[in-house]
């Protein structure tokens, strides 16, 4: 079982390297990608295309196999429901994304080099845990 | 107007994306785990060592690339704007149960209509926000 966190660490590092290489860790490039009505920077379409293609290959392999290589549990079937909660959350997320040009993974990835990004991370943690707390309250 | 990009710009953007996809494919192939960063952060906060390891990996990988490529300087929004943006992103990811990695990479790779809807709204509202508040001065 000690190998499991090591593989997660490796995947996190590869993910972070990809974010830095693609330019997603530079808020100006993300804002440029969202600037359809000004000077649109299309490069993140290639990033998303590359990420989705390789991730889809992994999905396809694991589905064909029926289960993961190192985990005996059956594959989870994520929800496919489109409800008001998803739409509201996506709108609020998009507003924050456009406001600073950061989303969670790039903000965490740059936080060692640019500690000012920790302000974003702190807000993110507060929002994420606030929603989780309300959910627990609602169920209890 | 569309920003003109060099072949090198496109190649880096594509190669970086492929690495992001590789990390997502790795977690999926090894453990059947969706590489959703918001979910991993939530697990990390509840003390799961593997999720903590993934979250720590993010800055380590980014730092490695910066060290190898030299990487130019990067500008961020004002402190208040950063905190507010983070709060909105956190509430949004909590409600939508996923962010750009979980929905826009892993979800779309699975052709999930839910993730496609989320991603279209992320981009549409993000673009609306950029049009509204403007691009910060360099």
């Amino acid at each position: 079982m000690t190998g499991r966190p090591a593989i997660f660490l490796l995947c996190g590092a590869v993910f972070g390297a990809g974010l830095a290489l693609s330019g997603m860790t530079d808020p100006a490039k993300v804002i440029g990608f969202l600037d359809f009505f000004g000077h649109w920077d299309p490069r993140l379409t290639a990033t998303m295309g590359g990420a989705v293609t390789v991730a889809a290959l992994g999905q396809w392999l694991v589905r064909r196999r029926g289960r993961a290589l190192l985990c005996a549990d059956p594959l989870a079937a994520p929800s496919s429901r489109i409800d008001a909660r998803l739409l509201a959350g996506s709108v609020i997320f998009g507003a924050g994304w456009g406001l600073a040009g950061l989303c969670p993974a790039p903000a965490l990835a740059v936080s060692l080099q640019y500690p000012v990004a920790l302000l974003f991370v702190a807000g993110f943690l507060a929002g994420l845990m606030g929603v989780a707390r309300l959910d627990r309250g609602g169920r209890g | 107007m569309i920003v003109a990009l060099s072949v090198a710009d496109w190649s880096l953007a594509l190669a970086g994306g492929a690495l992001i996809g590789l990390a997502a494919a790795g977690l999926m192939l090894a453990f059947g785990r969706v590489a959703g960063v918001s979910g991993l952060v939530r697990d990390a906060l509840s003390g799961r060592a593997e999720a903590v390891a993934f979250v720590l990996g993010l800055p380590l990988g980014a730092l490695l690339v910066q060290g190898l490529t030299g990487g130019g300087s990067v500008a961020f929004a004002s402190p208040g704007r950063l905190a507010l943006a983070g709060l909105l992103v956190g509430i949004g990811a909590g409600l939508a149960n996923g962010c750009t990695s979980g929905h826009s990479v892993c979800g779309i790779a699975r052709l999930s209509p839910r993730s496609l809807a989320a991603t279209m709204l992320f981009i549409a509202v993000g673009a609306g926000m950029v049009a509204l508040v403007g691009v910060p001065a360099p």
Side-chain angles (χ1 to χ4, degrees), chain B residues 1-124:
Chain B
M1 204 189 98
I2 298 181
V3 175
L5 297 170
S6 67
V7 174
D9 290 334
W10 281 112
S11 307
L12 286 177
L14 183 65
L19 282 182
I20 295 169
L22 186 66
L27 279 194
M28 179 50 71
L29 267 174
F31 308 114
R33 177 79 156 89
V34 174
V37 171
S38 298
L40 284 158
V41 165
R42 221 167 10 211
D43 284 357
L45 287 176
S46 61
R48 296 199 62 178
E50 59 193 36
V52 173
F54 182 93
V55 171
L56 288 178
L58 291 171
L60 295 179
L63 213 55
L64 188 71
V65 166
Q66 295 295 336
L68 291 175
T69 62
S73 73
V74 172
F76 291 92
S78 67
R81 197 149 145 176
L82 277 176
L84 175 63
L87 185 65
L88 291 171
V89 164
I91 295 170
L95 290 174
N97 202 23
C99 58
T100 359
S101 50
H103 280 309
S104 309
V105 177
C106 299
I108 288 186
R110 209 174 54 239
L111 298 176
S112 154
R114 177 178 158 85
S115 292
L116 202 61
T119 301
M120 288 192 305
L121 276 175
F122 292 168
I123 294 175

